[in-house]
Amino acid sequence: MNLRLILAVLAAKTAMFLSRFFGRGRGSSLPGMLALRIYPGILKHYRHQARRGVIMVTGTNGKTTTSNMLSGILVRAGYTVVTNREGANLLTGVTTAFIRAGSVTARVRSDYAVLEVDEAAFPVVTRWIKPNLVVITNFFRDQLDRYGELDTTIGKVLEAIQKLPSSTRLILNADDPLVVRFAGETGYPSRFYGVRPVPELAGDAAYSREAKFCPHCGAEFMYSIYLYSQLGDYKCPRCGFARPRPDIEASFVQVGLNGITARVDDDEGDWKIELPVQGMYNLYNALAAFTASLVLGVDPEAALAGLKMYSPAIGRMELFAYGDKKVTLTLVKNPTGFNQALAGLIAGKSRQDVMIAINDNDADGRDISWLWDVDFEILAQRPDKFNFFICTGKRAEEMALRLKYAGVPVSALHIERDYQRAIDGVLNGRGAAAGLLATYTALWPVEKILAQRAERVVYNDSNRVSPVS
């Protein structure tokens, strides 16, 4: 019996209990941190305990949603799953997920482990846990002071994957050339998912397009259609590197106020996908989860049923009701994600009030210059959609300044450093809807206050996945 292992697990489980008992957080990272301090090699005791395998989801945006969608599908299909549902995706969060699911002797009885892993932490986590399947969502600029340039991040993930067994399978976004390159550069078995690039889905904003040049020969890409950011239909005119034909492709996409519908097909079937969430990016997340589930042998109809019942994780276009007012809470952490969140606000039919909470703590990234790459100008172009904007958080003044330079009238800008007063202000505005956007460390306190004042809309309680379900 390894006494250090037992001590590490007991300390972690005690920290989980105390965190929740005193309301000092969700106990998703601190327990793992304590366990690793006591016994740095604790993860080696969990590496082979998921009987049917380990799936890791990495990339810049969509990790939490994709991993939770896949976990929900697997649970609905009758499997038990270990997962870090709340988005704690560093080594500490992964460790916590296993400890929470297991016994004091570090034993876990589960079929699968579905782990969201931060792209910078991916090389560290994969030293201890070897995934059988890796899902890569996309790559965008994100927290340059922590990740460095995008090429550096991609290179580290690529190097880590190349160290995995050659039997490792990849699920790749066909519409992102920065992701597609992993198939050729690893040689691992790969399946692709994507959205059929048709003119009616084309985005016209030129902000935050990362992949301008071919990763193989350096020539400038030719795009026939951009869907958003660098995702679209691309081809290198010099070496021929191009968007592959997706194994799973969505077409006839309809984005409505109550969700998304589309047709998805492969060589063997054609199905209708229905999602109770908004945003083109959520369609990509669902396609990634659906493709992974098929690779794992889940019946397609069961997978689609799981997606239809998906409930968003905290801050992922999460829906609340404040009286008759529809309220959305969205995490924003980089230009591309922020642009998609703004597009979601504009897509709403109701005139609304908006609160934006910006922090610059370590988890958010100290450098907030990325705000100048966000297309806030679209807000000024649609004065019919918004009444006012409340800026809060540690960098409230800088956020208000960015909106001013974007053309938002100064009379519509308000600075309120106190979260409670900011939230009360936006909830009690005269708009028929309210949108709350927050960076990572602002998200949790904002969500806690919002949950006390408004009713969370839950699509299906049974799909809120527990650590082992």
Side-chain angles (χ1 to χ4, degrees):
M1 185 71 68
N2 189 322
L3 293 180
R4 287 184 68 190
L5 172 64
I6 302 299
L7 179 61
V9 172
L10 285 173
K13 286 184 174 291
T14 300
M16 289 178 204
F17 172 78
L18 293 176
S19 292
R20 293 184 179 273
F21 183 80
F22 291 107
R24 302 292 294 178
R26 298 176 180 272
S28 57
S29 293
L30 177 61
M33 184 183 301
L34 287 174
L36 289 165
R37 289 278 183 89
I38 296 170
Y39 188 36
I42 189 170
L43 273 182
K44 71 182 180 182
H45 291 275
Y46 295 108
R47 65 174 64 187
H48 299 302
Q49 293 197 40
R51 291 183 291 267
R52 300 180 69 94
V54 176
I55 303 98
M56 288 189 184
V57 181
T58 193
T60 306
N61 289 343
K63 296 185 293 293
T64 301
T65 300
T66 299
S67 61
N68 288 343
M69 284 178 167
L70 180 57
S71 296
I73 289 171
L74 293 173
V75 169
R76 188 176 181 86
Y79 298 107
T80 53
V81 180
V82 175
T83 186
N84 48 341
R85 176 177 172 81
E86 293 170 333
N89 55 25
L90 304 179
L91 184 65
T92 53
V94 171
T95 303
T96 299
F98 279 105
I99 292 174
R100 180 187 287 128
S103 67
V104 293
T105 57
R107 300 302 303 171
V108 173
R109 291 182 173 86
S110 71
D111 295 308
Y112 289 104
V114 179
L115 305 172
E116 170 196 348
V117 182
D118 175 90
E119 55 270 43
F122 188 84
V124 178
V125 174
T126 53
R127 289 178 199 158
W128 296 101
I129 304 289
K130 305 298 182 185
N132 308 90
L133 186 67
V134 179
V135 181
I136 305 180
T137 59
N138 48 60
F139 286 110
F140 305 119
R141 277 177 296 152
D142 189 19
Q143 299 184 28
L144 293 178
D145 53 342
R146 184 162 79 90
Y147 293 105
E149 288 296 332
L150 186 57
D151 287 346
T152 301
T153 301
I154 294 172
K156 290 179 178 179
V157 175
L158 178 60
E159 182 181 1
I161 289 179
Q162 289 172 329
K163 293 178 180 178
L164 297 176
S166 59
S167 59
T168 305
R169 294 176 291 177
L170 306 181
I171 305 295
L172 304 176
N173 187 340
D175 299 344
D176 187 345
L178 299 178
V179 173
V180 170
R181 60 181 289 190
F182 278 69
E185 295 185 43
T186 64
Y188 293 170
S190 302
R191 287 179 66 83
F192 299 96
Y193 63 91
V195 176
R196 187 168 299 170
V198 293
E200 53 266 33
L201 295 179
D204 55 6
Y207 289 81
S208 306
R209 290 180 180 163
E210 312 294 353
K212 295 182 179 179
F213 303 100
C214 175
H216 299 301
C217 71
E220 186 172 359
F221 274 128
M222 295 176 61
Y223 273 81
S224 62
I225 288 177
Y226 285 104
L227 296 177
Y228 74 88
S229 191
Q230 77 267 13
L231 275 61
D233 190 10
Y234 52 88
K235 183 176 182 179
C236 174
R238 182 183 298 167
C239 72
F241 176 66
R243 177 185 185 265
R245 180 177 180 270
D247 296 285
I248 295 293
E249 186 172 52
S251 58
F252 303 103
V253 178
Q254 298 292 324
V255 180
L257 295 177
N258 296 319
I260 304 170
T261 62
R263 300 301 303 182
V264 291
D265 63 82
D266 63 8
D267 293 334
E268 298 181 1
D270 181 289
W271 307 275
K272 182 180 181 180
I273 188 170
E274 297 177 89
L275 302 173
V277 289
Q278 299 177 352
M280 179 68 76
Y281 51 91
N282 275 321
L283 176 58
Y284 275 101
N285 297 333
L287 292 173
F290 182 65
T291 306
S293 70
L294 296 188
V295 170
L296 296 173
V298 176
D299 176 73
E301 294 296 342
L304 293 169
L307 290 173
K308 186 176 181 178
M309 304 303 289
Y310 169 72
S311 292
I314 290 173
R316 275 67 178 184
M317 286 293 288
E318 192 177 13
L319 183 62
F320 291 78
Y322 183 72
D324 295 331
K325 181 175 292 190
K326 175 184 175 182
V327 183
T328 55
L329 175 62
T330 307
L331 171 68
V332 290
K333 63 190 185 77
N334 54 47
T336 298
F338 216 135
N339 285 340
Q340 291 297 300
L342 297 180
L345 293 180
I346 290 176
K349 291 185 177 180
S350 303
R351 190 173 177 89
Q352 57 193 298
D353 308 308
V354 178
M355 187 204 80
I356 305 176
I358 302 295
N359 281 350
D360 63 350
N361 296 314
D362 286 339
D364 307 293
R366 296 289 187 181
D367 181 359
I368 64 165
S369 63
W370 61 273
L371 291 173
W372 293 87
D373 293 325
V374 179
D375 188 14
F376 291 112
E377 283 72 15
I378 64 173
L379 301 177
Q381 294 165 9
R382 297 302 305 270
D384 58 307
K385 290 284 188 178
F386 306 101
N387 292 315
F388 60 78
F389 300 85
I390 297 178
C391 301
T392 189
K394 294 176 65 177
R395 304 303 289 268
E397 290 82 2
E398 287 87 345
M399 185 66 251
L401 180 67
R402 175 67 185 95
L403 291 174
K404 175 184 175 182
Y405 274 93
V408 176
V410 174
S411 60
L413 298 176
H414 306 277
I415 295 174
E416 176 52 73
R417 297 293 292 273
D418 182 82
Y419 288 142
Q420 295 196 42
R421 288 195 290 267
I423 293 169
D424 287 339
V426 77
L427 290 180
N428 294 303
R430 63 183 185 275
L436 288 76
L437 303 98
T439 54
Y440 188 75
T441 63
L443 178 67
W444 302 106
V446 166
E447 184 274 337
K448 184 176 182 179
I449 297 167
L450 181 59
Q452 294 170 350
R453 287 159 168 73
E455 182 180 356
R456 179 180 279 106
V457 176
V458 179
Y459 298 98
N460 177 29
D461 281 326
S462 66
N463 204 43
R464 286 192 174 275
V465 184
S466 60
V468 172
S469 303

